[in-house]
Amino acid sequence: MFVPYIISVVTTLLSTKASGSSCWRDTPCNARTTASFSGPWDSYNYSPASRIVSPVNIFTENFTLLSAYPKPTNLSSNVLIYDFGKEVGGIVTVSYNAVGSGQLGLAFSEARNWTGRDSDGSNGRYIPRADGALFAPVTTTLNGTYTMPDARMRGGFRYLSIFTTTDHSINVEITNVTLELSFQPTWSNLRAYGGYFHSSDDLLNRIWYAGAYTLQTNAVPPNTGRVYPLIGQGWRNDAWLGTKGNTLLVDGSKRDRATWAGDLGIALPSVFVSTGDFESARNALQLQYDLQVRYSKEGELPMAGPPLNFFGSDTYHMSSLIGTYEYLLYSGDLQFLALSWESIKRAITYVVKKLNQESGLLYVTGTGDWGRDSQGGFNTAANALMFRTLVTGSLMAGWIRDSISSRWEEQAYVLKAAMNSAVFNWDPVAGAFKDSNVDSSIHPEDGNSLALYYGLASPIHHKNISDKLVTNWGPIGAKCPELKFNIVPFVESMEIKGHLAIGQTYRALDLIRRSWGWYLNNPYGTESTFIEGYLEDGTFGYRAFSGYEKDYSYTSHAHGWSTGPTHALTNYVLGLQLASPGGADWILAPQFGDLKFVEGGFTTSLGKFSAKWTLIPGGYELSYYTPIGTTGRLILPAGETRWPTATIDGKEFRLDIYDGSMAHATKFRVPGGKIAITVMY
Ligand SMILES: *[C@@H]1O[C@H](CO)[C@@H](O)[C@H](O)[C@H]1NC(C)=O
Ligand SMILES: *[C@@H]1O[C@H](CO)[C@@H](O)[C@H](O)[C@H]1NC(C)=O
Ligand SMILES: *[C@@H]1O[C@H](CO)[C@@H](O)[C@H](O)[C@H]1NC(C)=O
Ligand SMILES: *[C@@H]1O[C@H](CO)[C@@H](O)[C@H](O)[C@H]1NC(C)=O
Ligand SMILES: *[C@@H]1O[C@H](CO)[C@@H](O)[C@H](O)[C@H]1NC(C)=O
Ligand SMILES: *[C@@H]1O[C@H](CO)[C@@H](O)[C@H](O)[C@H]1NC(C)=O
């Protein structure tokens, strides 16, 4: 199953030294310098061509357009709002001429509603507008400049509000505003993605790329974390995040700017199919195992990394393990597996010890979680993560030839049988899983979605669960039963993958457009990245009533945990999936939904993988281009009534199995390389 020649991998992927110095400050440049795939889809890429960017428009305080940027503009007692047109983050420099003396103020906001003399919330104290502004003393000068201090770097914003003290003692002419982007610090070319996606649906293309860009803004230099303990006034982002590497994948760009393990469950696979930033991902995972060695004899992995160092979450613990599997799958980095295996095994054993002797179910005692109203006991979502931890743990053990593999596989299937039994968590009346074996007050979105996505739910329950999930939908997304009043794209990411995993393509596309489409088209947001969560009424106050103390401005508008569609569209709709490290084995299983064509690809240690499908009258054309020496399996859409015909260059291409009831046909063991097939059905 595992192929020794992939061991040396990630190093070759990352070895190209970039010329020039457009990486962040003195960070070594060690990423690819050109995109793996280029074409018309590049116009959807939100990432700037240069690390130095400027605003695109200048507005008055009440959002009347003053001018496009650049235009020298005078400030007296007014506020000018510089709009960068998309999410950005880093160090701002303002050039100006001044007459008089006073102070220049700079305030930052991701969303339009919190522009003005105070920044949106980021410092973590939930005191409205307590982040305040940066102030610089200004006296009469020609060609003055102000550069904000590194410690006050603003990691995520779209709007920069510039103003002076209100006493009319100073006039300032703003002549230039520039921003040195701090994210994706090891890349000299921020647009050099390893993956791409292009389809007949403009909105889905934009959503795929906004997910990718969100993840880029979450890849940060290791000395730019939010300080902890929290400060009450202003903000500081100069905490060390604990990694020895040069870049780290954190939860959000404005905040919290620390690794959060649960977020990785959605963020990592989306990184691997889009930006291909294996370096930030590997550093985040390595950090988890370093902290385990430092802090936990029992093998527990942290819920959040430095400077927070939170422990106590079984679900987050398992997300790190599942994320490790995803990393190995896409990177092929079996050296990481070899070096970390003892730690990985200890971490799996830590949670396996919590399995109940009689039922085989996980009994959650580490109750920290993503923000759901409650956690603990035989919780459904936690057991879905447990099932996946056992399955992927068993696969990883197989890759490294550890005989524990079969035991974990067996435990996975004992757990699965118990979960699907009405004695435990299945609720036959509702047609969905209860929140736990004893709590049927809600049928959670996370647990039911993960049960589909991870294959925990018995096939006889698939349709019922999908139907039940749809009952939570409103016009702008799925209302989350386990976090009342909220719509949570992190959990919706699980939901769309759940629908797709069982072939409910239309439902998944519908929810992607409703929720992610709503946010991306909302002029009050960043129009380029994805929000952490929002309220059912369409205001941005995620968790306003359950954790964020009514500070609507605290919500992060660039949160990697909300990027599920990026992976989902590549993995299920294009249908290109990996089945062993680096993609030595792969699967192509397209789902058409209401689309006319889709193409896309990504880059692993073995090379470039891409595919394309296009509907034609009576069938479709399908092509793939995968590394020579790899082996694939095609799972092809087919009608329900007759065996489809497949041809290559007009010659018959024999399919192995036709399953009319599932409406697909399978061809096993197709070789890597470049092949185009026409299928009629
Ligand atoms: C908005 O500001 C502009 C320029 O400062 C002003 O002319 C306009 O009357 C203001 N509009 C509103 C609705 O306050
Ligand atoms: C700003 O004010 C100064 C002094 O009043 C004036 O010389 C300059 O032309 C003004 N700049 C703009 C862009 O209006
Ligand atoms: C200020 O900048 C302008 C435009 O770049 C230049 O022409 C002028 O000489 C500069 N003045 C001073 C005092 O540096
Ligand atoms: C603003 O500053 C940048 C960086 O120094 C420079 O490249 C650009 O030309 C300046 N723009 C204007 C309008 O002066
Ligand atoms: C579950 O699905 C079956 C078969 O489609 C259906 O007959 C049944 O009513 C569903 N149960 C619930 C509770 O929706
Ligand atoms: C932003 O402000 C506008 C106008 O005040 C308001 O209608 C809207 O609900 C607010 N948007 C959000 C997302 O909070």
Side-chain angles (χ1 to χ4, degrees):
M1 190 180 269
F2 113 57
V3 195
Y5 67 83
I6 18 190
I7 289 189
S8 65
V9 283
V10 180
T11 40
T12 54
L13 237 181
L14 303 174
S15 64
T16 334
K17 270 264 174 206
S19 57
S21 59
S22 50
C23 293
W24 165 249
R25 300 286 164 91
D26 52 3
T27 307
C29 292
N30 54 5
R32 76 172 64 72
T33 53
T34 52
S36 290
F37 304 91
S38 60
W41 45 86
D42 290 332
S43 64
Y44 289 94
N45 190 323
Y46 291 90
S47 213
S50 161
R51 190 166 285 281
I52 308 291
V53 296
S54 282
V56 291
N57 281 314
I58 310 170
F59 292 94
T60 66
E61 189 167 11
N62 67 13
F63 266 97
T64 304
L65 180 67
L66 263 182
S67 153
Y69 182 92
K71 184 170 195 298
T73 307
N74 273 340
L75 261 184
S76 52
S77 56
N78 54 324
V79 177
L80 294 176
I81 299 169
Y82 287 81
D83 175 10
F84 285 80
K86 64 176 79 159
E87 177 86 358
V88 290
I91 300 287
V92 165
T93 298
V94 177
S95 309
Y96 60 89
N97 302 312
V99 179
S101 85
Q103 304 221 71
L104 195 62
L106 269 60
F108 300 83
S109 176
E110 292 186 301
R112 172 174 161 156
N113 283 39
W114 295 286
T115 50
R117 290 172 187 268
D118 292 301
S119 303
D120 57 3
S122 83
N123 70 27
R125 285 294 203 88
Y126 314 123
I127 305 165
R129 313 313 296 266
D131 272 52
L134 295 177
F135 289 99
V138 169
T139 52
T140 302
T141 188
L142 260 186
N143 299 355
T145 62
Y146 168 71
T147 299
M148 62 201 276
D150 285 359
R152 311 296 299 280
M153 185 241 272
R154 197 75 186 178
F157 64 95
R158 170 176 172 176
Y159 298 103
L160 167 63
S161 300
I162 306 182
F163 53 94
T164 57
T165 37
T166 52
D167 57 9
H168 299 270
S169 59
I170 182 150
N171 273 283
V172 178
E173 183 186 39
I174 304 294
T175 54
N176 201 359
V177 176
T178 58
L179 170 69
E180 184 183 8
L181 298 171
S182 56
F183 59 75
Q184 201 81 83
T186 63
W187 288 32
S188 60
N189 175 0
L190 295 170
R191 294 170 62 84
Y193 287 7
Y196 83 107
F197 180 84
H198 192 50
S199 78
S200 51
D201 186 312
D202 176 69
L203 180 60
L204 295 180
N205 298 342
R206 286 161 51 214
I207 289 171
W208 192 95
Y209 279 94
Y213 185 56
T214 301
L215 292 160
Q216 286 196 284
T217 71
N218 290 177
V220 308
N223 57 349
T224 64
R226 182 177 73 183
V227 293
Y228 188 80
L230 303 171
I231 57 174
Q233 269 299 318
W235 73 89
R236 280 186 56 173
N237 287 318
D238 62 346
W240 184 53
L241 290 167
T243 177
K244 297 181 199 86
N246 296 313
T247 178
L248 190 70
L249 187 65
V250 297
D251 63 330
S253 30
K254 178 181 73 168
R255 54 144 275 265
D256 304 348
R257 299 185 69 80
T259 50
W260 281 89
D263 306 39
L264 297 176
I266 295 299
L268 289 179
S270 289
V271 166
F272 302 145
V273 300
S274 64
T275 65
D277 175 17
F278 290 105
E279 188 185 8
S280 303
R282 184 189 55 225
N283 289 338
L285 291 169
Q286 184 63 56
L287 181 58
Q288 293 298 97
Y289 295 109
D290 290 349
L291 294 168
Q292 178 203 41
V293 169
R294 200 175 318 154
Y295 292 108
S296 171
K297 282 199 184 64
E298 294 72 33
E300 185 181 0
L301 299 170
M303 180 178 191
L308 302 170
N309 290 321
F310 294 163
F311 281 77
S313 169
D314 290 343
T315 54
Y316 274 44
H317 173 91
M318 293 185 285
S319 292
S320 293
L321 290 165
I322 296 166
T324 301
Y325 166 82
E326 300 274 2
Y327 169 70
L328 296 169
L329 194 61
Y330 283 92
S331 70
D333 185 0
L334 293 173
Q335 195 172 18
F336 182 94
L337 177 63
L339 291 173
S340 309
W341 180 242
E342 284 314 311
S343 290
I344 296 169
K345 194 172 169 182
R346 273 199 315 134
I348 297 175
T349 305
Y350 167 82
V351 73
V352 163
K353 281 190 185 146
K354 299 191 183 200
L355 295 178
N356 177 270
Q357 296 294 317
E358 286 151 49
S359 63
L361 294 180
L362 171 68
Y363 189 86
V364 174
T365 51
T367 55
D369 207 347
W370 59 265
R372 73 200 315 286
D373 291 330
S374 70
Q375 178 54 277
F378 295 114
N379 174 272
T380 292
N383 273 282
L385 288 158
M386 185 76 231
F387 176 72
R388 185 69 178 161
T389 298
L390 289 166
V391 169
T392 56
S394 168
L395 288 167
M396 289 190 283
W399 294 340
I400 199 159
R401 303 186 195 287
D402 187 318
S403 61
I404 192 97
S405 176
S406 53
R407 189 151 110 235
W408 288 339
E409 188 180 13
E410 208 177 287
Q411 285 170 310
Y413 288 93
V414 170
L415 183 153
K416 178 169 176 164
M419 276 294 291
N420 284 282
S421 148
V423 177
F424 296 102
N425 289 36
W426 179 250
D427 181 347
V429 178
F433 289 104
K434 303 180 276 193
D435 201 38
S436 73
N437 61 323
V438 292
D439 180 6
S440 60
S441 64
I442 57 165
H443 298 85
E445 184 185 8
D446 59 0
N448 281 289
S449 300
L450 289 177
L452 297 179
Y453 174 31
Y454 289 154
L456 171 66
S458 156
I460 55 166
H461 297 149
H462 284 176
K463 180 67 172 26
N464 285 119
I465 294 172
S466 178
D467 290 349
K468 179 73 177 172
L469 285 167
V470 170
T471 65
N472 295 323
W473 291 8
I476 60 168
K479 300 171 190 178
C480 187
E482 64 274 27
L483 180 57
K484 289 192 178 51
F485 315 118
N486 288 265
I487 293 174
V488 193
F490 172 54
V491 183
E492 288 180 313
S493 291
M494 303 170 191
E495 180 171 344
I496 56 165
K497 293 186 190 193
H499 292 300
L500 287 165
I502 62 160
Q504 289 286 349
T505 320
Y506 285 89
R507 286 182 173 176
L509 296 180
D510 184 345
L511 184 54
I512 291 173
R513 292 174 179 130
R514 257 173 222 253
S515 175
W516 285 268
W518 171 80
Y519 180 77
L520 196 55
N521 286 331
N522 188 330
Y524 288 94
T526 65
E527 294 179 291
S528 55
T529 52
F530 289 120
I531 190 169
E532 173 185 25
Y534 48 97
L535 293 175
E536 290 171 12
D537 66 4
T539 57
F540 294 148
Y542 177 63
R543 290 183 71 191
F545 311 106
S546 49
Y548 292 176
E549 301 185 23
K550 297 189 188 156
D551 186 355
Y552 281 49
S553 81
Y554 186 67
T555 302
S556 163
H557 287 252
H559 230 62
W561 83 354
S562 298
T563 61
T566 300
H567 176 246
L569 289 168
T570 298
N571 196 65
Y572 295 107
V573 178
L574 173 63
L576 194 51
Q577 309 178 2
L578 300 186
S580 65
D585 297 288
W586 48 270
I587 294 165
L588 182 54
Q591 295 188 33
F592 301 147
D594 57 2
L595 302 176
K596 295 187 180 65
F597 74 86
V598 172
E599 67 175 297
F602 48 78
T603 309
T604 79
S605 51
L606 294 181
K608 296 185 199 181
F609 289 73
S610 63
K612 176 174 185 170
W613 55 256
T614 310
L615 301 190
I616 56 173
Y620 54 95
E621 289 169 346
L622 175 75
S623 60
Y624 65 79
Y625 196 178
T626 59
I628 303 285
T630 63
T631 306
R633 184 183 351 146
L634 308 180
I635 301 173
L636 304 174
E640 286 172 15
T641 50
R642 63 188 177 90
W643 193 290
T645 62
T647 51
I648 296 179
D649 293 333
K651 288 196 214 89
E652 190 198 343
F653 175 70
R654 213 178 52 79
L655 299 169
D656 297 325
I657 296 177
Y658 164 57
D659 184 336
S661 65
M662 312 267 284
H664 65 225
T666 302
K667 173 76 179 175
F668 296 100
R669 299 199 62 78
V670 297
K674 191 174 185 178
I675 293 190
I677 307 161
T678 303
V679 181
M680 305 301 288
Y681 62 92

